[in-house]
Amino acid sequence: MIKRAGFTGKSGNSLRDTVRAAGERDEDRLVAYLESSTEIYSVMGAERDVVLGDTWIPGAGSLVTDGTWLWPAELAHYVRRHHVPLPADFVAHIRDNGYVCPALPEERARAIFDEHFGRDGATGADARDTTPEPFFLRYVPTLTRAASRTLIKQLGAAGLSVVHPLTDALFGSRERPDGGRAPLLGGPDVLADSLADDRYHEVEFQCWMGYDRPVTARVRRLAPSVQRVTVQIADVPESEREETVAALVRALDRYGPLAVFHR
């Protein structure tokens, strides 16, 4: 079972609590190890430094691994700049490897991806927090390209832009016919084409509430006539969730009555 480091959520409270004046004696080598790992999930975007808020971190939200540990790509930034400590057993593991990240076979990388995202249904309590994250879910008829474009506009009307407000770029991935994932590059038209393309079982993309509040949306093809839209709202402040859900219900109401909101 994969071990995890650096998953603290978007609020930054845990990171701020662990900022130090100085790092480990071999911090540069630890950071180099973090940066030389295998990327198994790519986010083609940027996230603001949650400690000081003065820097954008390219690729934040991407996932990297050495085959034993899994961590978000931005962890290297926080270790280098804020001397955030790594788990002691992770540090010992890196040192035991001589600071050299091992090459990772493709099948092992895919297995780690599946375990993290629960694709094999076998992650369990030790792999991730057992408390489900809040989400909004809606089942919709199979999306045509025109319906996909309408959905994108409706998400925008609900305050969720599918492109980053600063770059007008789309960040996400789509599941290829062979089960692998490829990054989504382009703009709303690329997303609309992907949502309507029956070759892709799942399309995942970031929606944006303002400049630095990403919300993950997934559209999964369950059957030839049904797709499931899931919006993770864990990163929406609790005081704003009801309003966000109400906006999503209004935006997607045309597709039918069935919606689920898990707090």
Side-chain angles (χ1 to χ4, degrees):
M1 184 172 291
I2 196 71
K3 300 178 181 179
R4 290 168 171 79
F7 292 94
T8 59
K10 304 292 185 183
S11 67
N13 291 335
S14 297
L15 283 170
R16 296 188 188 99
D17 292 342
T18 58
V19 169
R20 301 183 296 179
E24 303 291 333
R25 53 178 172 76
D26 53 352
E27 184 177 82
D28 288 346
R29 302 184 75 183
L30 296 175
V31 170
Y33 185 95
L34 296 177
E35 293 181 329
S36 63
S37 52
T38 300
E39 186 172 278
I40 63 168
Y41 176 71
S42 299
V43 175
M44 309 299 289
E47 181 179 291
R48 195 183 295 276
D49 181 313
V50 298
V51 177
L52 296 178
D54 61 347
T55 304
W56 288 89
I57 310 169
S62 299
L63 299 178
V64 290
T65 183
D66 64 356
T68 303
W69 285 82
L70 177 74
W71 60 95
E74 64 268 25
L75 181 58
H77 165 88
Y78 291 108
V79 174
R80 177 192 294 110
R81 187 177 187 199
H82 303 295
H83 313 298
V84 168
L86 300 172
D89 49 346
F90 188 18
V91 173
H93 169 75
I94 295 174
R95 290 170 178 163
D96 288 344
N97 279 344
Y99 307 96
V100 178
C101 198
L104 196 64
E106 183 177 350
E107 58 270 20
R108 176 57 180 156
R110 181 172 297 179
I112 293 170
F113 179 96
D114 289 343
E115 178 182 331
H116 179 75
F117 286 103
R119 301 299 168 84
D120 58 3
T123 49
D126 292 335
R128 56 174 59 191
D129 191 338
T130 57
T131 302
E133 292 189 338
F135 63 84
F136 172 89
L137 183 151
R138 169 80 76 168
Y139 295 93
V140 301
T142 301
L143 295 166
T144 63
R145 190 175 188 278
S148 297
R149 291 173 64 89
T150 299
L151 173 62
I152 290 168
K153 291 179 180 178
Q154 290 169 329
L155 289 172
L160 298 172
S161 171
V162 301
V163 295
H164 194 281
L166 291 177
T167 64
D168 288 328
L170 175 69
F171 308 126
S173 65
R174 54 193 175 189
E175 187 175 316
R176 298 193 306 259
D178 63 3
R181 297 188 78 87
L184 276 172
L185 302 174
D189 286 344
V190 173
L191 177 58
D193 289 341
S194 299
L195 293 175
D197 193 328
D198 61 10
R199 293 177 301 169
Y200 303 121
H201 294 294
E202 182 175 273
V203 178
E204 179 177 306
F205 54 98
Q206 296 292 320
C207 296
W208 299 90
M209 301 177 66
Y211 294 104
D212 54 1
R213 190 184 297 169
V215 177
T216 300
R218 296 184 180 92
V219 179
R220 186 159 187 84
R221 195 173 298 275
L222 302 179
S225 60
V226 179
Q227 286 172 276
R228 182 182 65 206
V229 180
T230 306
V231 181
Q232 298 291 342
I233 57 174
D235 299 324
V236 178
E238 191 167 352
S239 61
E240 300 178 21
R241 284 178 191 166
E242 294 291 349
E243 182 179 347
T244 300
V245 169
L248 285 168
V249 169
R250 289 193 300 271
L252 298 176
D253 190 57
R254 69 188 297 270
Y255 293 106
L258 183 56
V260 178
F261 169 40
H262 170 77
R263 292 178 184 275

